[in-house]
Amino acid sequence: MRILSLGFLFATAAFAAPAANTPLSAIGVAGGSTLSLPMQIALSLTLMVLLPAAVVSITPFLRITIVLHFLRQALGTQSTPSNQVLIGLSMFLSILILQPVGTEIYKTAWEPMDQGKLTASQAFDEGSKPMKTFLARFAREKDIQLFLEISKAPAPRNASELGLQVLIPAYILSELKTGFQIGALLFLPFLVIDLVVASVTVSIGMMQLPPVMLSAPFKILLFVLVDGWNLVVGSLVKSFY
């Protein structure tokens, strides 16, 4: 868990700054390697497998993808935009939002460790501070309390004393709830259009024609007229600041 967290912190730093001289420095043996080459390769491969799951779960990517999925469902456009487009948009927006955090991690942890001023353990402690601050901003107190009880960890005096093993799952639960709340709100105006179109088709006896086929063009037209992509993406990004 500690190695994965360190690797994720440095992956976040890579969003905002050039990589270190070698990829193995990300798992962090600075100032002289203490691990054998096969062990370093094994750790690197482990990080390569696990980091995508961490990036998907512990970044704004989680909330953004949920909201965009709900939006596509509300519009009734099936697979348009495609999953690749939505994932790409979510990834670049996540990089934009995390850039200040990545810059701070790079300056306080990655760069000193690469120069041999910090050990891997010290770099982890320094790099986790800005990440903890980011996660604590969006993790609900109720969710934090839940995982404090599950882990039987002592109650911290302030947010900086919370461990990543508590903050990470609390953040994920909080983001899931927030994403579903925003998605439900996005559904409302399109649901009204569906109800109106269904009422009209039933009242004039068009029972054989699915109301969804008639309401889809009206929903897309409304979304385009109000510049929906700008509003949705802009509101999503601003919700993290």
Side-chain angles (χ1 to χ4, degrees), residues 93-122:
L93 291 178
S94 300
I95 292 173
L96 174 66
I97 295 167
L98 279 179
Q99 188 173 10
V101 179
T103 301
E104 187 174 354
I105 292 174
Y106 179 80
K107 290 181 178 179
T108 60
W110 184 320
E111 200 172 46
M113 190 190 74
D114 191 48
Q115 296 171 355
K117 298 177 180 178
L118 296 178
T119 65
S121 179
Q122 292 171 333

Side-chain angles (χ1 to χ4, degrees), residues 148-186:
L148 282 174
E149 294 174 0
I150 292 174
S151 63
K152 295 181 172 55
R157 289 174 294 181
N158 50 60
S160 62
E161 295 183 359
L162 287 169
L164 288 175
Q165 70 275 13
V166 171
L167 276 175
I168 288 175
Y171 171 83
I172 294 174
L173 278 190
S174 301
E175 287 297 280
L176 285 173
K177 179 177 181 179
T178 302
F180 273 76
Q181 287 176 333
I182 298 174
L185 291 176
L186 284 175

Side-chain angles (χ1 to χ4, degrees), residues 19 33 36 59 70 74 85 89 155 167 184 209 212 226 238:
S33 174
S36 64
T59 67
F70 272 111
V85 172
L89 176 60
L167 276 175
L209 187 63
V212 176
V226 299
K238 290 176 183 176

Side-chain angles (χ1 to χ4, degrees), residues 20 83 113 149 164 179 188-189 203 230:
N83 288 333
M113 190 190 74
E149 294 174 0
L164 288 175
L188 293 179
S203 64
N230 184 280

